[in-house]
């Protein structure tokens, strides 16, 4: 298989995994990706955004803003009931982040392929994961009156950090993990829709 095709596959797996991570936390994955691109630590991909539509992404201002937003988001999800309110903003934001990050790592490829993968795969995976986190937090708020939400937030934080780092370093492993999560979530959703036998 030509190296170009291998690179596209690896970049796609990385983008989808980062999109999934943004379903847990919106700002952390783009923050770490901007650092990785700025300091060129992605071993299989040269993310050169100079002269592209995403050139701002690796700027110092962008990295600082994303860093501040990451800290603020992590802290806010530990505030009972505020976390539920944030989900209304986080849902569309995570989808946009998933689409953008997938498009960024695929920059330089055919724009049709780039944006088709970004919108369908990146946006779709981010939406699936984010929907699951919203549902989990809703259940926690209902049954623990919000007291159990800090445990949910910690789990989401850990998942976002781990998945982002693995996506940047070993994307085929993170993609496998994402596929298992999405398959499990879709199976659970299908079971809920099945009529209960009398």
């Amino acid at each position: 298989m030509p190296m170009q095709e291998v690179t596209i596959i690896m970049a796609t797996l990385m983008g989808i995994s980062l999109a999934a991570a943004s379903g847990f936390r919106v700002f952390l994955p783009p923050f770490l990706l901007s650092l990785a691109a700025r300091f060129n630590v992605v071993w299989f991909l040269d993310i050169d955004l100079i002269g592209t539509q995403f050139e701002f992404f690796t700027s110092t201002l962008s990295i600082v803003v994303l860093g501040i937003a990451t800290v603020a988001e992590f802290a806010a999800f530990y505030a009972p009931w505020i976390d539920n309110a944030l989900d209304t903003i986080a849902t569309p934001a995570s989808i946009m982040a998933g689409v953008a990050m997938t498009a960024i790592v695929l920059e330089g490829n055919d724009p049709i392929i780039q944006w088709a993968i970004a919108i369908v795969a990146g946006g779709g995976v981010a939406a699936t994961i984010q929907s699951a986190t919203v549902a989990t937090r809703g259940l926690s708020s209902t049954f623990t009156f919000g007291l159990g939400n800090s445990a949910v937030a910690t789990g989401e934080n850990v998942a976002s950090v781990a998945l982002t780092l693995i996506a940047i370093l070993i994307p085929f492993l993170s993609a496998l993990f994402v596929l298992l999560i999405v398959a499990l979530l879709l199976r659970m959703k299908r079971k809920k829709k099945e009529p209960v036998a009398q």
Side-chain angles (χ1 to χ4, degrees):
M1 186 182 290
M3 191 60 190
Q4 179 64 21
E5 291 182 24
V6 172
T7 302
I8 291 172
I9 291 169
M10 293 284 278
T12 300
L13 295 177
M14 179 181 174
I16 292 170
S17 300
L18 289 169
S22 72
F24 292 110
R25 285 293 173 267
V26 176
F27 294 108
L28 176 79
F31 172 58
L32 293 182
L33 177 60
S34 66
L35 287 173
R38 174 75 174 265
F39 297 106
N40 197 27
V41 297
V42 182
W43 60 272
F44 60 89
L45 185 65
D46 179 22
I47 307 175
D48 183 11
L49 302 177
I50 303 299
T52 73
Q53 59 190 321
F54 300 114
E55 186 171 357
F56 69 92
F57 185 68
T58 53
S59 68
T60 301
L61 177 61
S62 178
I63 291 171
V64 169
V65 169
L66 286 170
I68 293 170
T70 297
V71 173
E73 183 184 26
F74 269 56
F77 273 99
Y78 282 104
W81 302 108
I82 292 177
D83 52 359
N84 288 301
L86 283 174
D87 277 331
T88 60
I89 302 168
T91 298
S94 66
I95 294 170
M96 288 189 290
V99 170
M101 286 185 294
T102 307
I104 285 169
V105 298
L106 286 170
E107 182 63 33
N109 292 293
D110 184 319
I112 295 174
I113 294 172
Q114 175 190 16
W115 287 103
I117 293 173
I119 293 168
V120 176
V125 168
T128 301
I129 300 294
Q130 175 63 19
S131 298
T133 64
V134 170
T136 303
R137 197 172 352 272
L139 288 172
S140 174
S141 296
T142 301
F143 292 108
T144 70
F145 301 101
L147 298 176
N149 289 18
S150 60
V152 174
T154 299
E156 291 171 352
N157 291 342
V158 170
S160 183
V161 172
L163 193 52
T164 301
L165 291 175
I166 297 170
I168 291 170
L169 300 173
I170 321 170
F172 50 86
L173 183 61
S174 61
L176 179 61
F177 182 63
V178 169
L179 285 173
L180 290 173
I181 292 175
V182 170
L184 179 62
L185 291 174
L186 291 175
R187 185 178 177 184
M188 289 169 61
K189 190 174 182 181
R190 197 178 304 118
K191 279 192 172 184
K192 281 185 180 179
K193 289 184 177 179
E194 288 178 0
V196 180
Q198 299 293 327

